[in-house]
Amino acid sequence: SQELEQSPQSLIVQEGKNLTINCTSSKTLYGLYWYKQKYGEGLIFLMMLQKGGEEKSHEKITAKLDEKKQQSSLHITASQPSHAGIYLCGADGGFQKLVFGTGTRLLVSP
Amino acid sequence: EAQVTQNPRYLITVTGKKLTVTCSQNMNHEYMSWYRQDPGLGLRQIYYSMNVEVTDKGDVPEGYKVSRKEKRNFPLILESPSPNQTSLYFCASSLFGAPEKLFFGSGTQLSVL
């Protein structure tokens, strides 16, 4: 079955610094989804990547899927307190479900 | 506003007392699903529904029931809750199925004493 491993598990960065979160799959990814969860709240869709080498950006967040389609990274430029939360990657788990990594907790200190 | 609405937001109950967590979406989505989120285990799917009257088990269905009598509603029923069902529950929907872009509710934090 599909398994997603995220690193790091948690991250504290100073406001204004850049950061990268990684998501590694045990199988080839045919669709990789990034979500953000504010603490204790629902997940908000950020981006979806499908093709090897694909890169998408939204505001200060950039997500990439590697050529082999087994790893994705999420990069935040000039982090702000509003970026704090839990970032989860998700992928097709078969049987009409999305499987998720265990998440990366991000804190942005002033 | 397009949204998935879950109620209640927080719930504390005792072992064995039946409860229902409601979920409603206003986007005319075919697909709806329930997940639970636990520390160290991440999000796991409980049940899903592809359409009215069509439901199927996810990875952790034991102790839960669902129904899909109307397209917009997908309640989660715990007939006899136990402490190991203490968790954060999310309802999600999408237009046609997974793993499309899912829209999530705000979550229900359930504590079973």
Side-chain angles (χ1 to χ4, degrees):
Chain A
S1 60
Q2 178 70 272
E3 288 186 5
L4 298 172
E5 190 166 325
Q6 286 186 238
S7 63
Q9 289 187 342
S10 62
L11 194 54
I12 302 174
V13 299
Q14 196 172 17
E15 185 175 354
K17 298 293 186 184
N18 303 336
L19 63 107
T20 299
I21 297 168
N22 294 303
C23 175
T24 302
S25 171
S26 57
K27 298 182 177 181
T28 300
L29 294 161
Y30 293 102
L32 190 285
Y33 301 75
W34 281 102
Y35 284 83
K36 178 186 175 185
Q37 181 181 15
K38 289 190 176 180
Y39 296 107
E41 296 186 12
L43 283 69
I44 299 169
F45 173 80
L46 294 175
M47 277 173 274
M48 179 185 77
L49 304 165
Q50 288 185 299
K51 300 176 184 175
E54 187 175 7
E55 180 175 319
K56 287 187 178 179
S57 292
H58 177 66
E59 297 180 342
K60 295 185 177 179
I61 300 176
T62 300
K64 301 178 186 179
L65 183 61
D66 74 342
E67 290 288 346
K68 292 184 179 179
K69 299 205 299 182
Q70 284 196 286
Q71 188 167 16
S72 177
S73 62
L74 187 82
H75 184 78
I76 298 177
T77 304
S79 58
Q80 301 168 352
S82 60
H83 288 128
I86 303 171
Y87 289 83
L88 297 108
C89 59
D92 185 1
F95 302 102
Q96 291 296 327
K97 71 181 174 199
L98 208 57
V99 293
F100 291 90
T102 50
T104 296
R105 292 178 174 267
L106 172 64
L107 286 173
V108 180
S109 63
Chain B
E1 181 189 352
Q3 60 185 0
V4 178
T5 303
Q6 283 179 240
N7 280 297
R9 187 78 175 81
Y10 302 95
L11 181 57
I12 301 174
T13 190
V14 294
T15 300
K17 187 175 182 182
K18 181 180 178 179
L19 66 92
T20 300
V21 183
T22 63
C23 174
S24 180
Q25 50 93 4
N26 62 1
M27 296 170 279
N28 202 35
H29 284 172
E30 302 284 336
Y31 173 92
M32 297 185 76
S33 180
W34 277 100
Y35 285 83
R36 60 178 288 175
Q37 186 178 36
D38 301 287
L41 296 175
L43 281 152
R44 293 176 292 168
Q45 189 186 56
I46 303 170
Y47 268 96
Y48 67 92
S49 169
M50 294 300 295
N51 209 328
V52 175
E53 303 293 359
V54 180
T55 63
D56 212 340
K57 296 177 181 178
D59 292 326
V60 288
E62 295 79 20
Y64 305 95
K65 284 176 61 177
V66 292
S67 69
R68 188 92 182 272
K69 296 177 182 176
E70 304 167 285
K71 197 171 188 178
R72 63 183 293 128
N73 296 322
F74 191 45
L76 180 69
I77 303 156
L78 284 72
E79 294 270 2
S80 183
S82 62
N84 64 12
Q85 292 179 298
T86 292
S87 187
L88 179 58
Y89 291 87
F90 289 105
C91 179
S93 72
S94 72
L95 193 53
F96 293 123
E100 270 183 33
K101 172 183 172 181
L102 292 177
F103 292 80
F104 282 83
S106 297
T108 296
Q109 180 64 60
L110 172 65
S111 294
V112 183
L113 306 176

